[in-house]
């Protein structure tokens, strides 16, 4: 018999992978997305008050001069007024969409409210816009008004579907 060369076998390495770092990264990603999801929720403020009940119990009174109500009616009509309709010294203004219409009105009202709030030492309190679309207004009008809120940097606004009797009379007269 011949002396055959011995086969050299390679040494098998341990093929175990350490997943500790992967687990840490996955937990960090889970926490990150949970926090981002929580922080991206919209801010909501309860506007369930009537004109006669602006101050409710323990909730602080709302300065009615900060309120600006926009009524959306059919055929692209807008009626807007400041404060409460029953107490307003100003007559409601008819307006139209666009730069020279409702955008200018919102901007003027926001500026006056901001100046007044800074003068009394409450610079974070700005205008509160209440948007009230009628059943005869269309969805495009609502989107256009929401665009105006974004353009004018209005932080606090609400879409309300309840009308006061004074507002119903106002819309019926137009």
């Amino acid at each position: 018999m011949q002396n055959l060369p011995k086969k050299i076998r390679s040494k098998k390495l341990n093929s175990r992978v350490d997943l500790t770092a992967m687990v840490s990264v996955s937990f960090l990603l889970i926490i990150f997305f949970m926090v981002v999801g929580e922080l991206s929720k919209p801010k909501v403020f309860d506007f369930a008050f009537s004109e006669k009940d602006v101050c409710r119990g323990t909730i602080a009174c709302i300065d009615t001069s900060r309120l600006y109500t926009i009524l959306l009616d059919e055929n692209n009509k807008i009626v807007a007024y400041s404060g409460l309709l029953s107490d307003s010294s100003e007559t409601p203004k008819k307006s139209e969409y666009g730069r020279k219409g409702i955008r200018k009105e919102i901007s003027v009202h926001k500026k006056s409210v901001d100046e007044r709030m800074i003068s009394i030492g409450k610079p974070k309190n700005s205008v509160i816009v209440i948007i009230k679309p009628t059943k005869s207004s269309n969805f495009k009008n609502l989107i256009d008004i929401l665009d105006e809120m974004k353009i004018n940097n209005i932080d606090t606004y609400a879409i309300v579907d309840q009308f006061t009797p004074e507002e119903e009379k106002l819309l019926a007269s137009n």
Side-chain angles (χ1 to χ4, degrees):
M1 280 208 144
Q2 260 182 354
N3 226 350
L4 292 174
K6 290 185 179 181
K7 279 190 174 179
I8 301 174
R9 290 196 173 200
S10 62
K11 190 177 181 184
K12 287 193 176 182
L13 298 174
N14 192 359
S15 62
R16 192 166 167 229
V17 177
D18 186 18
L19 294 176
T20 306
M22 185 67 83
V23 171
S24 298
V25 168
S26 64
F27 277 118
L28 285 173
L29 284 172
I30 290 170
I31 291 170
F32 172 77
F33 286 114
M34 286 174 57
V35 169
V36 167
E38 197 62 35
L39 292 177
S40 65
K41 289 183 181 174
K43 301 173 201 154
V44 178
F45 182 76
D46 184 20
F47 274 100
F49 65 88
S50 67
E51 287 193 9
K52 295 176 182 144
D53 189 26
V54 176
C55 294
R56 296 184 304 168
T58 59
I59 297 176
C61 293
I62 296 173
D63 183 5
T64 57
S65 65
R66 291 176 54 203
L67 294 177
Y68 192 69
T69 305
I70 300 173
L71 306 173
L72 306 177
D73 204 4
E74 63 185 349
N75 298 328
N76 300 329
K77 293 181 185 174
I78 300 173
V79 179
Y81 63 90
S82 175
L84 299 176
L85 188 58
S86 59
D87 298 336
S88 181
S89 59
E90 299 176 21
T91 58
K93 296 180 183 177
K94 295 178 185 177
S95 188
E96 57 190 33
Y97 293 94
R99 184 181 328 154
K100 295 182 181 177
I102 193 67
R103 186 178 308 164
K104 183 178 178 185
E105 296 293 328
I106 294 170
S107 176
V108 167
H109 187 71
K110 182 179 190 285
K111 193 177 203 179
S112 69
V113 168
D114 288 346
E115 288 172 358
R116 190 171 53 254
M117 290 297 134
I118 289 172
S119 69
I120 63 172
K122 296 181 179 180
K124 291 188 178 183
N125 293 350
S126 188
V127 67
I128 300 171
V129 178
I130 302 173
I131 303 166
K132 294 186 175 186
T134 61
K135 291 186 182 197
S136 57
S137 67
N138 59 32
F139 189 69
K140 181 187 180 305
N141 293 356
L142 182 61
I143 297 301
D144 289 342
I145 271 301
L146 292 176
D147 288 342
E148 297 296 339
M149 297 299 111
K150 188 72 172 173
I151 291 168
N152 282 305
N153 295 323
I154 304 295
D155 295 329
T156 309
Y157 60 90
I159 301 171
V160 180
D161 61 351
Q162 298 172 344
F163 293 89
T164 63
E166 291 90 0
E167 290 169 340
E168 289 175 359
K169 288 178 190 173
L170 177 67
L171 289 172
S173 68
N174 289 330

